Amino acid sequence: MKILGIESSCDETAAAVVEDGRIVLSNVIATSLEEHKLYGGVVPEIASRRHAESISGVVKEALVQANCTMEDIDAVAVTYAPGLIGALLVGVNFAKGLSLASGTPLVPVHHIRGHIASNYISSNVKPPFLCLIVSGGHSHIVAVKDYTDFEIIGKTRDDAAGEALDKAGRTMGLAYPGGVSIDKLSPEGDENAFKFPTPKVTGSPYDFSFSGLKTCVINTVHNASQSGKTINTADLAASFQKSVVDCLIKNLEKAAQDYGYSKIVIAGGVSANSKLRAEAQSLCRRHKWELHLPELKYCGDNAAMIASQGYYEFISGVKSDESLNAYATMPIDKSYKSN
Ligand code: KG4
Ligand code: ZN
């Protein structure tokens, strides 16, 4: 079964064709990242306009590279939530038009479920497993009981890990996205140079909080500049990255032990982080747990992951009609219900 995936939730316009949820036949991405760099973050209006300009060409190219026409496609899977609303609407409306014109079923896909599925195209992993999802907008620990059955075990109370890395990176004067810059710079620094307090989260041992840590970095930079001191940015980047990764790994370890999972999966843009990948590997080696990480090319936003999750949603009976809307927020454990 061939699924055409379409993704436009943030600054990547992407389309892909995936067979049986696992085999990537094409994966095309156009990004407006360079334009957003000028502003130090994604400008929603610019992202939406670039999606509108690129989407037809990107979808056409994905079909050509997969050696397909719409007649070969069994369903169109599209990211409908969560994300920037204007950006999402471009993909959703394009997918609706394509579905109506070609008579191909339309399958709405949750973006974060898609990130989890980036592992289905990178390895042969199958649910059930425990997944740490870390992206620009989300930091979750989720029990993936089946391809379309999710239980949220832990989540961030404030900033997502990627968001905190991006904001801290901006304060340090690093290029957007800060998460990528911090990862690149950290090997040049001493990760023990700065000591940041471990965030205390009351109520759940699996929840995260990154905004206090981020504020510590911002205060460190501002205090130094006000007193005319220079800071070693590589030391600060490495120390902050270590603190963020320590929090992620600590809660992941506790959740896996308490819920009895020995199969661990990492997903989302921050899963490209070399420190997080290394620490997840050593955690799983220590406990003799099985670990799955997405290939680097599938860590960030792409449509192959949407087509993969779309396949599993479709075979479980999820389908939409032309009333499909886009939503800026949507819990991962909420199943799609048509109007
Ligand atoms: O999943 P994603 O592409 O978009 C969202 O769904 O949010 O994640 C983007 C986030 C950004 O915060 C970016 O800084 C972070 O992923 N990121 C990284 C790395 N690559 C991307 N953070 C740390 N290290 C990286 N190598
Ligand atoms: Zn994403």
Side-chain angles (χ1 to χ4, degrees):
M1 193 181 280
K2 291 191 179 92
I3 309 289
L4 170 67
I6 297 177
E7 154 67 36
S8 71
S9 66
C10 191
D11 56 346
E12 268 90 26
T13 319
V17 179
V18 174
E19 194 165 359
D20 297 336
R22 300 273 173 172
I23 305 156
V24 180
L25 303 182
S26 66
N27 184 38
V28 178
I29 305 177
T31 178
S32 51
L33 176 78
E34 287 304 317
E35 275 182 86
H36 303 295
K37 276 185 177 170
L38 294 173
Y39 306 95
V42 175
V43 182
E45 168 79 16
I46 294 177
S48 305
R49 285 176 181 275
R50 295 301 164 259
H51 288 313
E53 286 165 4
S54 313
I55 196 153
S56 310
V58 166
V59 171
K60 207 185 254 178
E61 185 60 26
L63 289 169
V64 168
Q65 285 186 17
N67 210 8
C68 286
T69 66
M70 279 309 291
E71 280 177 18
D72 305 309
I73 299 297
D74 295 285
V76 177
V78 64
T79 306
Y80 78 113
L84 300 171
I85 193 68
L88 285 166
L89 280 167
V90 176
V92 165
N93 280 317
F94 192 90
K96 284 205 279 194
L98 202 55
S99 159
L100 270 174
S102 62
T104 313
L106 179 65
V107 180
V109 175
H110 189 286
H111 180 75
I112 301 301
R113 292 186 182 197
H115 271 299
I116 296 172
S118 64
N119 284 278
Y120 305 147
I121 50 180
S122 298
S123 77
N124 60 3
V125 63
K126 294 180 179 67
F129 52 79
L130 187 72
C131 187
L132 170 70
I133 302 148
V134 268
S135 72
H138 291 78
S139 299
H140 275 38
I141 295 174
V142 174
V144 182
K145 297 174 172 176
D146 205 341
Y147 291 102
T148 57
D149 185 4
F150 305 83
E151 182 191 347
I152 300 171
I153 290 177
K155 57 181 184 310
T156 183
R157 298 280 179 91
D158 40 57
D159 290 1
E163 185 183 358
L165 286 161
D166 290 346
K167 287 179 180 161
R170 186 159 66 180
T171 308
M172 290 179 219
L174 303 177
Y176 176 83
V180 177
S181 300
I182 287 175
D183 191 7
K184 275 198 196 130
L185 185 60
S186 291
E188 293 168 33
D190 171 7
E191 63 180 19
N192 298 309
F194 292 87
K195 291 268 173 281
F196 297 116
T198 307
K200 296 232 178 329
V201 184
T202 50
S204 163
Y206 317 113
D207 281 358
F208 304 105
S209 168
F210 295 110
S211 101
L213 268 180
K214 175 197 69 186
T215 307
C216 278
V217 170
I218 294 172
N219 289 346
T220 305
V221 171
H222 289 168
N223 290 345
S225 93
Q226 275 159 18
S227 55
K229 286 191 197 130
T230 50
I231 278 189
N232 183 322
T233 310
D235 284 351
L236 187 59
S239 304
F240 181 59
Q241 177 177 265
K242 179 182 189 304
S243 299
V244 170
V245 170
D246 284 352
C247 294
L248 294 171
I249 294 291
K250 184 171 118 281
N251 291 15
L252 177 63
E253 180 175 29
K254 178 147 183 61
Q257 286 171 325
D258 293 355
Y259 284 80
Y261 280 95
S262 57
K263 203 194 289 182
I264 307 295
V265 168
I266 317 275
V270 184
S271 68
N273 183 266
S274 32
K275 171 89 180 160
L276 176 60
R277 292 174 87 92
E279 292 301 326
Q281 269 152 356
S282 89
L283 171 79
C284 291
R285 242 193 326 265
R286 226 170 33 245
H287 288 286
K288 298 195 168 48
W289 292 341
E290 183 182 323
L291 174 68
H292 296 270
L293 295 159
E295 284 175 69
L296 286 178
K297 65 180 172 191
Y298 298 128
C299 289
D301 290 346
N302 66 84
M305 68 186 199
I306 301 303
S308 172
Q309 181 62 24
Y311 168 79
Y312 291 106
E313 300 282 347
F314 188 51
I315 61 173
S316 81
V318 175
K319 233 170 95 172
S320 178
D321 57 20
E322 62 277 7
S323 67
L324 179 65
N325 209 341
Y327 302 89
T329 60
M330 176 73 61
I332 190 173
D333 53 352
K334 188 162 188 253
S335 296
Y336 175 77
K337 294 263 179 307
S338 55
N339 295 331

